[in-house]
Amino acid sequence: MRFMRSYLWYLIGLVALLVLPQVVSSPYIMFLLNMAIIFVILALGLNVVFGMTGMLNLASLAFSGIGAYTSGILAVKLGLPFPLALIGAVVVAMLFGLMVGLPTIRIGGHYLAFMTIAFGEIMRLIFQNWTPVTGGALGLSGIKYASIGPLVLKTHWSYYHLSLTLLVIMVYVANRIRVSKLGRAFEAVRGSEVAARALGINTYYHKVLAFVLGAAFGGVAGTLYAFLMRYVDPGTFTFEESARVLTMVMVGGRGSIPGVIIGAFLLTFLPEWLRFLKDYYMAMYGLGILLIVLFLPGGVISLWDKVRSRFAAGRRAPAAQTSAGKR
Amino acid sequence: MALLEVTRVSKRFGGLVAVNEVDVTIEPGEIRGLIGPNGSGKSTLVNLVSGVYRTDGGEIKLEGRNITNLPAHTISHLHVSRTFQTIRLFGTLSVLENVMVGFYSRSKTNLTDVILNSPRLAREEAGLRKRAEELLELVELKPFKDQPGKSLTLGRQRVLEMARALATEPKLLILDEPAAGMNPSEKEWLVDVIRRINQSGVSILLIEHHMPVVMALAKRIAVMNFGLKIADGVPEEIRNNDAVIEAYLGRREDNAAIG
Ligand SMILES: Nc1ncnc2c1ncn2[C@@H]1O[C@H](COP(=O)(O)OP(=O)(O)OP(=O)(O)O)[C@@H](O)[C@H]1O
Ligand SMILES: [Mg+2]
């Protein structure tokens, strides 16, 4: 019953996202919607790594960069169509996840966060300087419009349907991970590694697995980005942007998939809405995030949990019992 | 053959010998007591047996098989499970989900099943859910199954850790001070639950400060002090053992001096 209800909300969200392009007339807003979806996918990946498993990865954008360059190169140099470029990008991103995860997760703890920052910087330097392959500082250009079979997606509107399709798939995958035994194992690692091990969970293996799965989300997001821009710029994949993805997870609600989706949309559009503030913009933006993190440690989604448990309290006696089971 | 055989096991932390050549055996089906003043090395011994720490000497055998210094998750696979002196529940999971984590390593489904939500996985999940409810029933926590684990009272959290450990199908269950922080009626309940678990065929190593609890349950009790095992025998012997009395009295004087 509770399952039905949570799927109902996903369905309502999907219908809203399907209707949205009918009412949007500005290509810029359409572009932002595509970007929001890309950020949702990135945030869902970080949610597996950080939200569920508790590992602070500050190189989300490095993995999307690997995805963007891989798919871009596959498209430009080998002429592969979008679906094949996507698969290639996901595989390469996962391989990088494995390569980075194996040694750094062994060390673990706070070092992991530092190592991921270092990895992000190394990747940025590679994107920028490995000119024969990545196009160097000038970036990688010449990516053709994405096409699915005979369908060529030339506008932000048509591309949006591709983004949305991948979003639905990735939300489904993230949700499968969350509600299954795998999600419980990840949450156990986050809760107490010692206890998880005592219950027979190989924590090292599962942390690496979470990292590799997170990298796959980066690969998908990067591919969507490369074909949206049809150009890959090395300046895109910065630490600041990775920190923004982390903020999306925190503001939305760490561990909660609906929360992370809301967080990513909010933080993609908020800067646009706050533009009228001009010079004060950064201060207001920072203050807003600070307030949310301080007073809503469960993210904006926890507001909803509170409202719902109020309602439940009205209907039956023991209130606020379902929030842990749901996330 | 003994279920667990600990032979001359040691653990040092810098200059401190936390466990000093300790011998302990546990027979199948038994409830074994382990007592000793604060800092005597009981929890360290548990951590050595369960693979949290590496030993600095000695040997640990389970049913004749050497398990010394195996990784903690492997020791769990070999049917040794434990609870923690400082409660380590999984804070984001419900009571039922906490127990279900214990089934994880014996699951027969893979990543593809998880992503595709295969019928095989759904069947397994339903079966495990039922089994978890049975375990919660055994420890009388079923009414709380959908609450966050951390919302339970301290006493119930300790018992939830026991149910979670039981999900790994242990032959040996190690309980590190299960009565800590419990009120008298909870302690009675605990004795009851431990007895029931033992009757279901699980051997138990019980570390406990509260004498009535240990005396009610354990047929044999080992006593540690400053890393050494200073006594081992039936409750009657332990009660009248001079070294044990001195260890506890000596500590009381320490406390008086400090306080
Ligand atoms: N990880 C560690 N690092 C350093 N010293 C430790 C560590 N763990 C335990 N010790 C020390 O080893 C000694 C034994 O500690 P242990 O926790 O095993 O005692 P205990 O018998 O379980 O005590 P209590 O009844 O208070 O739980 C203590 O002096 C403690 O300070
Ligand atoms: Mg202890």
Side-chain angles (χ1 to χ4, degrees):
Chain A
M1 197 45 210
R2 205 188 309 153
F3 268 128
M4 297 288 281
R5 237 176 297 153
S6 71
Y7 279 122
L8 185 67
W9 282 111
Y10 283 123
L11 207 65
I12 291 171
L14 179 62
V15 169
L17 286 178
L18 277 170
V19 171
L20 217 48
Q22 318 296 324
V23 296
V24 169
S25 56
S26 138
Y28 182 64
I29 300 286
M30 257 349 268
F31 166 77
L32 281 180
L33 278 170
N34 277 299
M35 282 308 289
I37 288 177
I38 290 169
F39 272 114
V40 170
I41 293 173
L42 269 177
L44 287 173
L46 184 62
N47 191 47
V48 174
V49 178
F50 174 69
M52 294 186 201
T53 320
M55 293 181 293
L56 190 47
N57 174 12
L58 288 167
S60 297
L61 267 285
F63 289 107
S64 69
I66 290 163
Y69 274 104
T70 306
S71 57
I73 289 164
L74 289 176
V76 173
K77 309 220 157 138
L78 298 182
L80 294 187
F82 181 89
L84 291 180
L86 172 68
I87 291 169
V90 170
V91 169
V92 171
M94 286 172 92
L95 284 176
F96 268 87
L98 188 67
M99 213 172 63
V100 178
L102 278 175
T104 53
I105 290 168
R106 176 74 77 193
I107 298 165
H110 300 300
Y111 293 103
L112 179 69
F114 287 115
M115 306 267 258
T116 57
I117 295 176
F119 167 68
E121 286 307 300
I122 292 170
M123 286 319 298
R124 212 167 52 84
L125 287 174
I126 292 176
F127 297 151
Q128 203 145 40
N129 295 308
W130 196 16
T131 311
V133 176
T134 63
L138 289 176
L140 181 77
S141 48
I143 302 170
K144 292 204 181 64
Y145 286 114
S147 56
I148 308 290
L151 229 68
V152 183
L153 310 174
K154 284 191 177 167
T155 66
H156 288 328
W157 277 268
S158 55
Y159 195 78
Y160 176 80
H161 291 95
L162 176 63
S163 304
L164 199 54
T165 307
L166 283 174
L167 176 70
V168 168
I169 293 171
M170 295 324 277
V171 168
Y172 171 79
V173 170
N175 197 52
R176 281 307 308 154
I177 293 173
R178 177 60 191 90
V179 301
S180 69
K181 56 171 196 161
L182 195 59
R184 289 196 294 268
F186 288 162
E187 293 281 349
V189 171
R190 169 181 165 194
S192 165
E193 280 193 48
V194 177
R197 254 178 249 135
L199 294 171
I201 294 173
N202 183 339
T203 51
Y204 176 58
Y205 171 85
H206 282 86
K207 285 159 87 176
V208 173
L209 178 62
F211 207 76
V212 172
L213 289 173
F217 284 75
V220 174
T223 305
L224 270 178
Y225 180 75
F227 280 85
L228 174 69
M229 309 298 289
R230 298 193 297 121
Y231 164 73
V232 187
D233 173 0
T236 314
F237 309 103
T238 58
F239 168 73
E240 287 74 19
E241 288 295 295
S242 294
R244 186 143 87 111
V245 177
L246 177 65
T247 315
M248 290 168 173
V249 173
M250 296 299 292
V251 165
R254 182 178 175 191
S256 156
I257 290 169
V260 165
I261 296 171
I262 293 168
F265 267 95
L266 212 59
L267 266 87
T268 309
F269 282 96
L270 208 59
E272 305 299 322
W273 296 333
L274 293 181
R275 204 160 263 173
F276 71 94
L277 292 168
K278 299 208 174 72
D279 288 350
Y280 298 103
Y281 155 67
M282 267 324 270
M284 292 307 290
Y285 177 77
L287 187 69
I289 287 168
L290 195 72
L291 287 176
I292 288 180
V293 171
L294 278 180
F295 295 107
L296 272 181
V300 287
I301 195 72
S302 64
L303 275 180
W304 171 242
D305 281 349
K306 277 186 195 136
V307 170
R308 220 184 33 172
S309 61
R310 275 282 157 73
F311 269 104
R315 265 184 284 132
R316 62 194 146 85
Q321 293 191 349
T322 50
S323 66
K326 195 208 96 250
R327 289 161 76 111
Chain B
M1 194 202 313
L3 175 63
L4 187 80
E5 200 172 349
V6 174
T7 320
R8 297 172 69 84
V9 158
S10 297
K11 178 68 186 177
R12 278 184 292 276
F13 294 112
L16 175 84
V17 188
V19 174
N20 197 347
E21 304 203 336
V22 168
D23 296 313
V24 183
T25 60
I26 298 172
E27 298 302 324
E30 126 176 275
I31 299 181
R32 186 76 151 98
L34 175 60
I35 64 173
N38 288 118
S40 56
K42 307 178 296 292
S43 293
T44 305
L45 185 66
V46 171
N47 284 331
L48 292 172
V49 172
S50 60
V52 176
Y53 294 155
R54 294 182 66 83
T55 60
D56 294 317
E59 195 181 50
I60 303 163
K61 280 183 167 174
L62 183 73
E63 297 181 310
R65 171 178 178 175
N66 189 349
I67 61 163
T68 323
N69 296 337
L70 289 180
H73 62 265
T74 309
I75 289 176
S76 166
H77 298 168
L78 296 170
H79 305 277
V80 175
S81 198
R82 63 169 294 184
T83 64
F84 295 88
Q85 184 174 347
T86 49
I87 296 171
R88 293 174 188 271
L89 287 176
F90 306 126
T92 51
L93 299 180
S94 70
V95 167
L96 189 80
E97 288 173 318
N98 262 278
V99 175
M100 290 182 77
V101 170
F103 298 129
Y104 186 79
S105 59
R106 265 174 254 289
S107 158
K108 292 188 176 58
T109 51
N110 56 34
L111 186 61
T112 325
D113 291 310
V114 167
I115 303 291
L116 301 180
N117 198 8
S118 69
R120 203 157 73 105
L121 183 92
R123 247 191 331 268
E124 182 184 75
E125 188 83 359
L128 294 183
R129 204 162 277 271
K130 194 155 153 278
R131 176 85 188 106
E133 287 181 5
E134 284 166 14
L135 284 174
L136 285 173
E137 203 150 9
L138 178 77
V139 300
E140 298 169 21
L141 289 180
K142 197 173 166 199
F144 310 101
K145 68 185 168 82
D146 292 324
Q147 290 186 25
K150 291 242 166 109
S151 71
L152 300 181
T153 62
L154 209 70
R156 286 189 181 128
Q157 289 191 28
R158 291 203 180 277
V159 173
L160 174 56
E161 273 206 357
M162 290 161 61
R164 185 179 75 175
L166 286 176
T168 67
E169 298 172 16
K171 289 174 182 164
L172 174 63
L173 176 63
I174 307 175
L175 305 174
D176 197 350
E177 302 204 14
M182 284 191 175
N183 63 36
S185 74
E186 281 179 319
K187 272 178 209 155
E188 259 172 55
W189 171 55
L190 176 77
V191 169
D192 218 55
V193 168
I194 293 177
R195 208 170 263 142
R196 227 176 301 153
I197 292 172
N198 180 242
Q199 276 158 6
S200 76
V202 181
S203 310
I204 290 169
L205 174 59
L206 174 67
I207 289 103
E208 193 43 76
H209 273 304
H210 298 278
M211 286 311 149
V213 173
V214 195
M215 296 290 174
L217 289 165
K219 299 284 175 301
R220 292 193 303 152
I221 299 172
V223 188
M224 288 181 73
N225 195 23
F226 293 116
L228 290 165
K229 187 172 89 171
I230 57 168
D232 200 341
V234 297
E236 218 27 54
E237 289 172 78
I238 297 303
R239 232 189 299 252
N240 303 316
N241 184 301
D242 288 340
V244 176
I245 292 166
E246 206 186 293
Y248 276 89
L249 286 181
R251 192 179 142 267
R252 209 171 296 158
E253 275 160 22
D254 278 353
N255 283 351
I258 295 163

